[in-house]
Amino acid sequence: MTKIPADYVNYKSTPVFEKHNVPKMFLHLHNTKAGVYGQIQVLSGALKFYGFRDRRGEVEQELIINTGDTGISPPQYWHKVELLTDNTQFRVDFWAQQDSDIVIQNLSERD
């Protein structure tokens, strides 16, 4: 699976999601922004990550992510997730180059 470049920083994280509060967007085809990596952290249970060649493409990868494991979605990569257990909990950390506009904007919003 993809690695996040060393000069990237975590600039934002989602709340913990589970069966009752996972945004529907995550369960359907979507992609990450240009220059942004999404790092899926599974806190309990398991989920399946589906990666697609393009918006209308076929599945090119399927990855089961179990408790304590992570998966990476590279920038502008079409994907979706499927919760595999009733107790699945996960969050997504977003990473971008440390001097990028998206990091600067998000860090200024924290002040």
Side-chain angles (χ1 to χ4, degrees):
M1 182 144 245
T2 305
K3 292 190 184 241
I4 298 171
D7 64 335
Y8 277 49
V9 296
N10 172 226
Y11 70 90
K12 180 171 77 170
S13 299
T14 67
V16 173
F17 294 127
E18 50 193 62
K19 188 166 102 175
H20 74 276
N21 71 345
V22 63
K24 289 187 189 318
M25 174 191 77
F26 282 45
L27 305 175
H28 300 283
L29 200 61
H30 65 285
N31 70 357
T32 45
K33 294 179 183 180
V36 174
Y37 285 80
Q39 182 180 39
I40 303 163
Q41 306 271 344
V42 175
L43 307 172
S44 67
L47 64 75
K48 186 184 278 192
F49 174 91
Y50 296 89
F52 298 83
R53 290 188 200 287
D54 55 47
R55 187 175 187 177
R56 301 203 194 307
E58 295 179 19
V59 173
E60 71 176 355
Q61 68 170 314
E62 293 182 23
L63 175 68
I64 304 277
I65 308 171
N66 293 299
T67 303
D69 292 336
T70 61
I72 307 288
S73 183
Q76 296 180 292
Y77 187 65
W78 290 96
H79 62 281
K80 69 178 185 175
V81 299
E82 174 186 357
L83 281 61
L84 297 179
T85 63
D86 285 339
N87 70 332
T88 299
Q89 294 183 321
F90 72 100
R91 78 165 189 269
V92 182
D93 298 324
F94 295 98
W95 297 74
Q97 194 168 34
Q98 63 187 15
D99 297 326
S100 67
D101 288 342
I102 196 163
V103 170
I104 292 166
Q105 289 167 0
N106 277 274
L107 292 179
S108 69
E109 290 175 9
R110 292 180 184 178
D111 296 336

